[in-house]
Amino acid sequence: MKKRVAILISGGGSNMEALVQDMERDHPAEPVLVLANIPDAGGLAKAKARGIPTACIDHRAFRGDRTAFEAALNQALEAAAPDIICLAGFMRILAPEFIARWQGKMLNIHPSILPLFRGLHTHQRALDAGMAVHGCTVHEVTGELDGGPILGQAVIPVHEGDTADDLAARLLPLEHKLYPVVLRRFAVGNRAKMLLG
Ligand code: GAR
C-alpha cells in the first residue's frame, strides 16, 4: 500500500511540484491532497493540472483565530487521511496542539542549514553572518519552530558579491532534489540523516 501524502503550500509550489513529479514515478507514496492557505497560491493550479485533489483554507477568513483556522485545516487533512504531511513553503506557524496530532508524520523544508537561521529571511541572514556556505534542510516538524530531527541537508557555496536573491535562485534547484529524496526514504521508514551531493 502506498503511503498517502498531503502537501501544504502558501505560494508557487515549486517544491510541491518536485515532490509530485517524483511520486509520478515508481514510488512508495502518492499525493492525495495539495492544500493552500492562500486562494491564489500558484501551486494550486499546478496541482490541479496534475490531477491532484486540492483545497484551500484561507487563513484570512479566520481573522487571527488560529485555533479555528487550524481546526479547519485539520478537518481537511483528516478527510484526506494522509500518512505523511509535507510542508512545502507553507508560511503559517502551527500551534503545538496541531503539530502534536501529526507529529512523526510531518516534514518541512527550510532554506538554511538548520539549526542556523530559523525563521524568515534566511538568505540575507546567511550573508550578514559572513557564511562561506548556505543550504537547505528537510526535517521532521516538532513544536519547536524549524526544529525537529534533521533528515537531510544540501549545501551551496556563498560567492563574493552574492545577493539574497542569488542564493535563493541557486538553492531552490537543490531543494527540489533534496525534498523528493528525503520523502522517498521517509516513506519506507528511513529517518537516517543524509547529505545531498
Ligand atoms: C522554498 O524556498 C522553501 O524552502 C521556503 O519557501 C520556499 C517555497 O517555494 N520555505 C520556508 O521559508 C519555510 N520557512 P515554493 O513554493 O516554490 O516551493
Side-chain angles (χ1 to χ4, degrees):
M1 275 273 277
K2 288 194 179 215
K3 291 278 160 52
R4 298 169 63 81
V5 177
I7 306 173
L8 271 53
I9 62 169
S10 298
S14 68
N15 276 290
M16 175 276 296
E17 269 207 302
L19 292 172
V20 166
Q21 248 169 40
D22 196 43
M23 284 187 272
E24 284 169 357
R25 297 189 266 270
D26 185 31
H27 201 285
E30 61 183 347
V32 296
L33 177 68
V34 170
L35 192 155
N37 66 305
I38 296 176
D40 54 7
L44 283 176
K46 291 178 189 165
K48 275 185 198 142
R50 290 181 177 276
I52 300 162
T54 60
C56 180
I57 311 288
D58 186 349
H59 68 275
R60 289 166 300 193
F62 296 88
R63 298 173 188 278
D65 184 348
R66 189 166 76 173
T67 307
F69 166 66
E70 289 179 358
L73 202 58
N74 225 5
Q75 202 173 19
L77 285 171
E78 297 281 8
D83 301 299
I84 301 170
I85 296 173
C86 291
L87 306 184
F90 184 71
M91 303 306 275
R92 303 301 299 173
I93 290 176
L94 296 165
E97 299 73 33
F98 179 90
I99 291 167
R101 162 66 187 87
W102 301 103
Q103 192 154 331
K105 298 180 169 187
M106 203 185 318
L107 309 183
N108 180 43
I109 186 155
H110 183 74
S112 80
I113 304 173
L114 288 173
L116 295 173
F117 314 127
R118 294 174 176 172
L120 299 175
H121 311 300
T122 55
H123 311 303
Q124 188 57 50
R125 287 162 64 205
L127 289 174
D128 293 347
M131 297 289 292
V133 292
H134 185 43
C136 53
T137 303
V138 177
H139 64 96
E140 280 185 52
V141 176
T142 63
E144 191 185 352
L145 179 68
D146 297 326
I150 289 169
L151 299 168
Q153 293 186 309
V155 295
I156 56 170
V158 176
H159 300 314
E160 208 56 47
D162 268 346
T163 64
D165 285 348
D166 293 334
L167 289 183
R170 279 218 309 288
L171 190 58
L172 198 58
L174 277 192
E175 294 188 33
H176 299 162
K177 284 190 183 149
L178 178 69
Y179 211 171
V181 172
V182 172
L183 177 61
R184 262 182 191 270
R185 293 160 56 103
F186 191 80
V188 295
N190 183 354
R191 295 175 186 216
K193 55 176 156 288
M194 56 153 299
L195 174 64
L196 190 78

